[in-house]
Amino acid sequence: MKPLIASPWSARFDLLQSLSGLFLALFMWLHMAFVSSILWGEKAFWTVARFFEGYFFFGRSLPWLVSLFVACIAALIAVHALLALRKFPASWQQYRAFWEHRQRLAHLDTNLWPLQVATGFLMFFLASVHLYDLFIAPEQIGPYGSADLVWTGRTWPLLLLLLFCVEVHGLIGLYRLALKWGWPSFGDPQRTRRILRRLLWVLLVFFLAMGLLTLGTFISLGIEHAPRAGEPYVPSGMQEAL
Amino acid sequence: MKLLYTDVLIIGGGLAGLRTAIGVKRRGLDPLILSLVPPKRSHSVAAQGGMQASLGNCAKSEGDNEDIHFADTVRGSDWGCDQLVARMFTHMAPKAVRELAAWGVPWSRVRAGVHEAVIHGERVRIQALEGAQGLITARDFGGTKKWRTCYTADGTGHAMLYTLGDRAVAESIPVHDRREALALIHEGERCQGAIVRNLMTGELSAYLARATVIATGGYGHLYAVSTNAIINEGLGQAIALETGVAQLGNLEAVQFHPTAIVPAGILVTEGCRGDGGVLRDVDGYRFMPDYEPEKAELASRDVVSRRMVEHMRKGKGVKGRFGEHLWLDITVLGRAHIEKHLREVKEICQYFLGIDPAVDYIPVRPTQHYSMGGIRTDYRGESPTLRGLFACGEAACWDLHGFNRLGGNSVAETVVSGMLVSEYVADFCTSPEGDIQLSSALAREFLQREQAKLSRLLAATGEENPVALRQQMEHIMMERVGLFRNGAELQTAVDELRILLQRAENLGLRSRQPAANPELVLAYRLPKMLKIALGVALGALARTESRGAHFREDYPERNDRDWLKRTLYRWPESGEPQLDYEPLDVKQMELPPGFRGYGTKNIVEHPDTKARQAEVAQAQQRAPDRFALQEQLMPFRHLLPERYRKPNERLHEPLP
Amino acid sequence: MNRTLRFQIFRHHPLDPQSQPRLETYRLEESPGMTLFIALNLIRAEQAPDLNFDFVCRAGVCGSCAMLINGRPGLACRTLTASLPETITLLPLPNFELIADLSVNTGKWMRALSERLETWVHLNEEPDIDRLEAPMDADLAEQIYELDRCIECGCCLAACGTAQMRKDFVGAVGIHKIARFRADPRDCRDDAAYYEVIGDEDGVFGCMSLLGCQDFCPKNLSLQTQIAFIRRKLARQGWKKT
């Protein structure tokens, strides 16, 4: 064993990885809440989208605000990914050692990790595309604009895959965070884990269902709107104003 | 040839070896520990129940002191022990516990107020002593007048071994584990180290040392079923014996523990009975009070074991798939107590028997447990015949235990003897005597001899299978040299063991692997084990009396007149094994021979006993206090290393 | 009807140039109450006299006999064959230097760990052993004993995904030892000192909370809780250190 040189950055990196992960996971929950507003109707989604452009604060839309926010999230993902990279197998030997171990042990928590690595890895690409789309055309976010992007813009396969990645990665991440830091705790460790695991499955089903419904709604809206693709949505009350 | 030099070579990495190494190191010498296994895997780890030391902190040990501990130990030994050693030991035990307490052993502590305990199967309430809160508490063990056994739940040996193992690392003491000492290097009557085989690579080296300490534990696995770890094969005693110079003492004194599980032979601690558990027969009847009304299950181990077999012989045993047994009932203690204080017991029951001891009875029967005999040493731990060879712990016949050891005294002995012997070893090494010219020519000669033996074995194509021979030896020891002994059986055992020893010269090995090779290991250990087994049988055959754990059906009386003496077993280099005897001097005894109080009195008195009893009684009347009395009867303090001479503080005996 | 067990045992003698790592098959009639200790000794006595394995206490307290039993780490001495299927595969623990067959050098690894983490009570001063011992709260003593029960068998490392990839990772055994000494008021070290020995990627911050350790610890130590606890304490230490 080699001697240690203890740097405070070991602790800080560990905390930052956890905190960035926590923030991103919680953000994705909010994100789900916002995009699923389409389930309440086109007006609802339009309102949410305008809200983020500052429409209700400044009286007009400032889409660059969304771009700015997208850039921040992208940066945070980059930081999280960089920190998480430390844990990836660094060589073929390490990869193989882990894989053989996984196969021998047949142990749920161990198996969840490669899943997390794989989804995280995929998200490097999937999330980049998604974020890029939003970054360059924030003003298009709206019931029709987004639906057109999903269907006519043929991003729905990417979003479908991304949905699974985000939910699996995020929820396993949260589950592991709880175990890693010992909070929340429900009595003894075994019981805590049983409850956390159950929570993990329930939330996974819930968010996947929400996600699929939302994506489905956008797809059907996209199909419907395809002939008029590119036309933005204008709420009924505002048409007169125009 | 690989040669290593060290000041003190310590063979054995259990509690005794570790504490010796630490003591030697603190005296500025370089120790080196040699061990068959990593030190923390030593048999010491299996000691569950605890360590006796007369701290007197808990309510049921109020008023305890060295004198009472001493008397219990001497009575327990059936007057077979060296009383001087017992004195030094009981004086040191509190110091040892306190040292370990400071170094990290999490001894169980006294709780303030009233708490519940089970005594004689009944729940009683006990009020803690004033001012004792947080001090080290104790539990009840067999054969003791006071609750004196300090413990950490039922992992005392583990906690102690880990603390000392870690301490040895802290003090940078080198440990060469997975190494076996094959032979001692000696020139005439001076020991100079050992020839050592690396069990991983098969390589032999010579370790030269100014002093050599053997701390290898007992010889339980000469028996087919033993509570001992499987590494306790008497190898330390054997290499001493094979010098032809060193003597082994009282090999026939072999203890059988009342409660090992059937059939695995794994021990469940005396703490089970100490904490209130009882023994039951086939009818669920608690039989021990019928035999021993006063101490019942907590009579001395030899007594309980014999009573159990006696009871089974009356047809009261439980007939099971693996022979007869009795029941140990700890359900009375309640689940909470078992899960907190007897957890190892619970795990053993769960894994090896598939039962829950909070609900079910545990099947037990007496099983080989401890070797009182070993390498004969003086009170300094040195062999009287082979200078520079020391021994301590179970490997030695320092002679703390005589013919029966009290529960909790062996764990205490390991550490106490380590503390003391390390000082004497250091004294020896720094004296002119310790200053010798270590001879590499001598080392080479011994190494070549051992190498030749191994080469011969590796090429051996004889007809005998070492596994089969070993099984026969184990069987002979179980059947003929067990708990109840008689002349005819012992004679047969001696004859059969001699034949086995001859047959062991004609071994055939199937594997020719010179490195890690268990068949080779067994092959070269087998004659060593047989020599020790023969010593046990010879000693038992010759000793025509019953004393402590040595019980002769044909000689049931304790015969102080003819047998108040220690058996010495020696095997000269060319020739036959010899038995000699070393008398115990009644005139020097602080506690003259008496009746232990079990069963009916059946003693042939020693001619000096009466006179000495009178002397002692007279002294008792004159002496102003217990210290003065002790000093007058058997002075011992001057023999202790100076740093350990001060008295022990107690709640009721504060130091100025 | 007794089963005939089929043992597939890893055989290899690294010092023998002719030896190749392989699985060899041995058949053995099962008997009531048979443990792997009994079975392996029978195989050695009757079929493979040169088969290497380690047992010492054969009662589950010394930690010598850990091996992979059908892929999962456990103490062979107290594993009943009745709890296993007819085919039993035995492999040596993967994390340690192989001596031969099922025998690995755990002792060397644990000694190195002990030296590196300084797993002993660091004393302020030597005690006066003639005097009454320093009092300690009875509950605290029990709590320390609870933390002292590790038997250094190596199962936690064999069950640890991180340890498979990073040979210098101290594993649950190391982190738990720090928890043991940290709980002990006799040890005069503070968190800064503990951080020095375990505050890095090979220490507590290397743990990915896959919890094989928790699930395969033969002594049922609360490794999950203790690792989380040490992580919190040392993260705080690292965070505030300038």
Side-chain angles (χ1 to χ4, degrees):
Chain A
M1 282 182 189
K2 59 179 190 225
L4 290 168
I5 305 147
S7 151
W9 283 103
S10 296
R12 291 170 197 172
F13 285 147
D14 198 54
L15 265 171
L16 282 175
Q17 188 189 344
S18 289
L19 286 172
S20 55
L22 178 68
F23 181 86
L24 288 169
L26 293 180
F27 166 71
M28 288 319 295
W29 286 8
L30 288 175
H31 178 279
M32 180 62 81
F34 301 142
V35 294
S36 65
S37 60
I38 193 70
L39 300 177
W40 301 96
E42 289 147 25
K43 175 87 187 276
F45 188 78
W46 181 87
T47 309
V48 169
R50 293 293 80 77
F51 173 82
F52 282 99
E53 289 171 351
Y55 182 84
F56 303 106
F57 301 100
F58 307 111
R60 61 198 171 101
S61 290
L62 300 173
W64 60 267
L65 276 177
V66 173
S67 292
L68 184 69
F69 189 72
V70 167
C72 289
I73 291 292
L76 197 58
I77 290 177
V79 167
H80 182 70
L82 271 175
L83 290 169
L85 262 180
R86 297 172 310 147
K87 307 285 182 187
F88 276 39
S91 66
W92 170 242
Q93 275 95 336
Q94 286 190 3
Y95 172 79
R96 206 182 53 180
F98 184 86
W99 201 251
E100 284 171 1
H101 167 73
R102 188 198 73 78
Q103 285 174 325
R104 279 193 308 256
L105 204 64
H107 175 247
L108 179 67
D109 283 81
T110 303
N111 280 326
L112 289 180
W113 187 69
L115 200 58
Q116 216 183 354
V117 171
T119 50
F121 185 73
L122 275 176
M123 282 195 292
F124 274 124
F125 308 103
L126 302 177
S128 305
V129 175
H130 179 60
L131 287 166
Y132 182 73
D133 281 341
L134 301 180
F135 182 76
I136 54 164
E139 70 284 350
Q140 285 197 3
I141 300 172
Y144 295 154
S146 297
D148 289 342
L149 187 63
V150 167
W151 181 251
T152 311
R154 293 176 193 168
T155 53
W156 66 267
L158 179 131
L159 291 172
L160 184 64
L161 197 53
L162 187 56
L163 169 70
F164 275 91
C165 286
V166 165
E167 297 311 338
V168 167
H169 188 91
L171 281 164
I172 297 176
L174 285 174
Y175 164 71
R176 216 180 287 296
L177 270 186
L179 297 172
K180 204 170 184 175
W181 296 97
W183 188 89
S185 157
F186 310 96
D188 71 284
Q190 308 295 1
R191 182 156 178 270
T192 298
R193 240 158 106 209
R194 268 201 312 277
I195 293 176
L196 286 175
R197 251 186 224 170
R198 212 168 297 151
L199 264 174
L200 166 68
W201 295 126
V202 169
L203 288 173
L204 190 61
V205 169
F206 172 75
F207 279 109
L208 281 179
M210 287 283 283
L212 287 174
L213 266 177
T214 303
L215 190 57
T217 310
F218 274 116
I219 289 173
S220 77
L221 203 57
I223 294 172
E224 223 174 88
H225 196 253
R228 286 170 288 127
E231 249 177 48
Y233 170 81
V234 181
S236 49
M238 291 187 131
Q239 272 165 339
E240 289 140 34
L242 283 170
Chain B
M1 180 179 67
K2 211 166 143 190
L3 264 179
L4 280 94
Y5 294 89
T6 182
D7 289 330
V8 183
L9 175 65
I10 294 157
I11 305 172
L15 284 172
L18 287 168
R19 185 59 187 83
T20 306
I22 294 164
V24 165
K25 178 86 179 186
R26 289 181 165 207
R27 287 282 299 268
L29 296 163
D30 282 333
L32 186 151
I33 294 177
L34 207 65
S35 180
L36 290 177
V37 295
K40 286 175 179 170
R41 315 246 188 263
S42 305
H43 181 50
S44 305
V45 85
Q48 299 166 357
M51 156 167 182
Q52 282 206 46
S54 57
L55 300 178
N57 289 329
C58 87
K60 286 282 177 183
S61 54
E62 191 175 12
D64 198 11
N65 60 36
E66 298 87 354
D67 298 354
I68 306 174
H69 188 187
F70 168 79
D72 283 343
T73 302
V74 174
R75 278 202 187 86
S77 79
D78 221 352
W79 275 270
C81 74
D82 182 336
Q83 297 199 2
L84 196 65
V85 166
R87 252 305 162 191
M88 296 167 77
F89 162 76
T90 52
H91 170 78
M92 287 294 293
K95 300 186 199 298
V97 169
R98 285 168 176 165
E99 181 175 82
L100 290 167
W103 288 357
V105 173
W107 297 112
S108 295
R109 303 284 173 147
V110 176
R111 286 174 195 281
V114 177
H115 68 101
E116 272 203 346
V118 178
I119 298 177
H120 281 293
E122 287 179 17
R123 294 198 165 267
V124 294
R125 294 168 72 75
I126 297 173
Q127 168 76 45
L129 296 179
E130 194 69 34
Q133 187 183 357
L135 297 179
I136 296 167
T137 190
R139 59 161 50 128
D140 199 6
F141 252 37
T144 64
K145 285 226 157 41
K146 302 276 181 187
W147 289 23
R148 190 185 297 127
T149 305
C150 308
Y151 63 97
T152 56
D154 63 350
T156 316
H158 170 93
M160 290 170 67
L161 186 64
Y162 271 59
T163 294
L164 284 186
D166 287 338
R167 193 76 239 150
V169 179
E171 312 215 351
S172 307
I173 292 167
V175 175
H176 292 189
D177 61 15
R178 293 180 181 270
R179 308 287 206 287
E180 174 172 353
L182 293 182
L184 294 175
I185 302 168
H186 66 109
E187 187 161 40
E189 290 167 3
R190 178 69 168 87
C191 181
Q192 300 197 13
I195 300 299
V196 174
R197 179 168 184 267
N198 182 324
L199 293 167
M200 299 176 283
T201 64
E203 188 190 15
L204 293 196
S205 334
Y207 286 54
L208 291 170
R210 293 203 271 175
T212 305
V213 184
I214 295 182
T216 49
Y219 41 86
H221 270 282
L222 303 180
Y223 289 79
V225 187
S226 165
T227 65
N228 287 190
I230 58 167
I231 52 173
N232 295 114
E233 299 174 319
L235 300 172
Q237 289 88 349
I239 57 171
L241 182 71
E242 286 182 337
T243 60
V245 185
Q247 299 166 316
L248 308 184
N250 284 349
L251 285 189
E252 68 270 29
V254 176
Q255 182 175 74
F256 288 75
H257 194 288
T259 60
I261 63 167
V262 178
I266 296 166
L267 181 78
V268 293
T269 173
E270 186 154 325
C272 288
R273 284 169 291 134
D275 290 0
V278 296
L279 291 168
R280 298 188 188 280
D281 64 13
V282 65
D283 308 317
Y285 175 70
R286 184 182 172 214
F287 58 92
M288 272 309 292
D290 294 352
Y291 294 99
E292 300 294 342
E294 194 200 335
K295 294 291 288 188
E297 282 84 359
L298 287 174
S300 251
R301 282 181 182 169
D302 58 328
V303 175
V304 179
S305 289
R306 273 197 298 275
R307 295 306 196 185
M308 288 170 74
V309 172
E310 229 180 298
H311 201 63
M312 286 194 277
R313 285 178 176 182
K314 287 181 188 163
K316 291 295 182 183
V318 185
K319 287 177 188 58
R321 198 165 53 203
F322 302 100
E324 274 188 83
H325 64 80
L326 292 160
W327 299 116
L328 172 64
D329 170 14
I330 60 169
T331 59
V332 55
L333 306 182
R335 183 173 294 282
H337 182 93
I338 291 169
E339 287 182 354
K340 190 172 244 176
H341 299 292
L342 298 170
R343 183 158 35 178
E344 296 296 339
V345 172
K346 182 174 179 263
E347 279 189 14
I348 287 167
C349 288
Q350 183 187 329
Y351 285 103
F352 295 93
L353 297 167
I355 61 166
D356 176 0
V359 183
D360 307 306
Y361 294 169
I362 308 168
V364 294
R365 75 172 158 234
T367 301
Q368 194 289 336
H369 179 60
Y370 190 80
S371 318
M372 274 78 72
I375 299 164
R376 177 63 190 138
T377 72
D378 58 18
Y379 72 89
R380 295 162 48 251
E382 192 182 17
S383 162
T385 45
L386 186 57
R387 278 173 303 120
L389 176 68
F390 291 75
C392 62
E394 190 176 352
C397 179
W398 191 31
D399 223 0
L400 169 63
H401 309 300
F403 276 76
N404 174 59
R405 169 177 75 74
L406 294 185
N409 259 0
S410 67
V411 185
E413 182 197 19
T414 59
V415 185
V416 165
S417 66
M419 291 168 84
L420 291 176
V421 170
S422 60
E423 297 294 328
Y424 299 127
V425 166
D427 292 346
F428 172 84
C429 286
T430 49
S431 75
E433 238 194 328
D435 203 22
I436 55 160
Q437 289 291 316
L438 297 169
S439 156
S440 61
L442 183 73
R444 186 185 310 275
E445 186 192 318
F446 273 82
L447 193 130
Q448 281 165 352
R449 192 187 76 188
E450 293 304 314
Q451 189 67 66
K453 275 193 215 165
L454 292 183
S455 305
R456 234 179 1 254
L457 274 177
L458 276 172
T461 52
E463 288 144 20
E464 301 291 353
N465 175 353
V467 176
L469 295 191
R470 175 177 188 159
Q471 283 169 351
Q472 288 179 42
M473 171 194 73
E474 290 175 344
H475 182 76
I476 295 167
M477 295 304 282
M478 288 292 282
E479 296 303 314
R480 311 198 194 283
V481 200
L483 188 56
F484 285 89
R485 301 167 172 179
N486 65 62
E489 292 279 353
L490 288 168
Q491 185 60 55
T492 314
V494 168
D495 298 343
E496 289 177 346
L497 287 168
R498 281 182 188 274
I499 292 171
L500 285 184
L501 200 51
Q502 276 170 2
R503 289 172 63 190
E505 283 170 21
N506 188 27
L507 294 177
L509 267 61
R510 286 174 284 177
S511 162
R512 310 280 171 219
Q513 173 62 254
N517 177 354
E519 191 186 30
L520 174 66
V521 169
L522 175 58
Y524 68 69
R525 285 181 186 173
L526 186 64
K528 294 182 177 352
M529 289 190 250
L530 282 165
K531 286 175 189 170
I532 301 301
L534 186 58
V536 178
L538 280 171
L541 176 63
R543 186 173 283 276
T544 49
E545 66 153 353
S546 295
R547 184 180 298 276
H550 170 71
F551 190 84
R552 286 282 298 256
E553 291 168 304
D554 42 356
Y555 296 93
E557 74 285 351
R558 189 182 92 198
N559 185 344
D560 288 352
R561 185 190 63 207
D562 303 319
W563 285 105
L564 199 55
K565 53 190 180 188
R566 195 170 290 125
T567 309
L568 296 175
Y569 177 58
R570 194 166 74 89
W571 198 310
E573 241 171 315
S574 53
E576 281 291 290
Q578 293 174 359
L579 290 185
D580 289 305
Y581 292 95
E582 174 188 7
L584 302 183
D585 188 355
V586 174
K587 290 184 205 141
Q588 304 290 323
M589 286 184 183
E590 182 178 340
L591 187 66
F595 174 48
R596 284 168 86 197
Y598 298 120
T600 49
K601 188 172 171 181
N602 188 6
I603 303 172
V604 180
E605 297 279 358
H606 190 278
D608 294 339
T609 300
K610 283 252 144 45
R612 182 60 180 167
Q613 277 170 347
E615 265 174 43
V616 171
Q618 214 174 22
Q620 277 166 346
Q621 278 170 4
R622 283 199 311 255
D625 61 36
R626 68 179 188 95
F627 297 103
L629 173 66
Q630 199 287 319
E631 187 67 25
Q632 190 194 338
L633 289 174
M634 193 182 67
F636 75 100
R637 253 170 235 271
H638 62 290
L639 300 175
L640 286 169
E642 224 170 288
R643 64 169 65 185
Y644 295 136
R645 288 184 190 168
K646 288 201 201 105
N648 296 305
E649 187 173 39
R650 292 188 180 76
L651 272 179
H652 61 272
E653 283 180 337
L655 286 186
Chain C
M1 247 309 274
N2 286 346
R3 297 190 297 175
T4 300
L5 302 173
R6 189 166 155 265
F7 284 88
Q8 292 187 303
I9 299 179
F10 177 87
R11 299 298 309 267
H12 181 43
H13 216 300
L15 287 176
D16 182 348
Q18 256 118 58
S19 172
Q20 290 292 326
R22 65 203 181 275
L23 282 182
E24 277 189 15
T25 304
Y26 306 92
R27 281 168 212 282
L28 194 66
E29 182 148 335
E30 190 174 33
S31 56
M34 180 183 264
T35 58
L36 289 180
F37 167 71
I38 296 170
L40 281 169
N41 274 295
L42 278 173
I43 290 173
R44 184 194 269 176
E46 293 163 3
Q47 304 178 45
D50 56 348
L51 176 62
N52 285 279
F53 48 75
D54 293 320
F55 289 98
V56 178
C57 74
R58 53 95 177 93
V61 295
C62 78
S64 300
C65 64
M67 56 182 75
L68 295 183
I69 303 161
N70 286 341
R72 307 181 123 191
L75 297 181
C77 71
R78 66 177 201 189
T79 301
L80 293 165
T81 53
S83 68
L84 299 169
E86 235 163 59
T87 298
I88 299 169
T89 306
L90 300 178
L91 306 177
L93 287 192
N95 305 56
F96 304 92
E97 187 182 305
L98 179 70
I99 294 170
D101 307 331
L102 298 174
S103 173
V104 292
N105 203 338
T106 49
K108 183 175 163 189
W109 197 94
M110 293 297 170
R111 166 92 186 199
L113 178 83
S114 190
E115 285 170 356
R116 173 175 157 188
L117 301 185
E118 302 185 7
T119 60
W120 55 83
V121 167
H122 287 52
L123 298 169
N124 268 325
E125 53 177 353
E126 281 295 320
D128 179 352
I129 57 176
D130 302 322
R131 300 266 170 195
L132 286 187
E133 63 277 11
M136 178 184 270
D137 179 64
D139 290 327
L140 178 61
E142 271 171 22
Q143 191 195 329
I144 295 171
Y145 173 65
E146 192 58 43
L147 292 168
D148 197 56
R149 291 178 64 243
C150 168
I151 57 171
E152 298 186 2
C153 60
C155 284
C156 59
L157 286 155
C160 173
T162 310
Q164 306 310 307
M165 294 190 291
R166 298 174 208 284
K167 293 300 165 201
D168 287 330
F169 180 52
V170 299
V173 52
I175 303 167
H176 188 261
K177 278 184 185 292
I178 293 299
R180 182 250 176 268
F181 289 100
R182 196 182 176 283
D184 194 330
R186 294 168 292 197
D187 194 317
C188 62
R189 283 179 285 182
D190 58 8
D191 279 344
Y194 294 124
Y195 194 95
E196 276 306 309
V197 294
I198 206 167
D200 77 341
E201 296 295 308
D202 286 332
V204 68
F205 300 120
C207 166
M208 302 196 298
S209 312
L210 306 185
L211 296 179
C213 56
Q214 171 80 34
D215 294 336
F216 293 97
C217 174
K219 290 283 140 184
N220 296 317
L221 301 175
S222 55
L223 299 169
Q224 175 187 328
T225 313
Q226 296 307 326
I227 294 171
F229 177 74
I230 291 298
R231 189 191 288 275
R232 290 200 300 273
K233 294 299 168 196
L234 295 195
R236 176 180 306 202
Q237 174 65 33
W239 195 256
K240 71 184 183 195
K241 192 160 141 188
T242 47

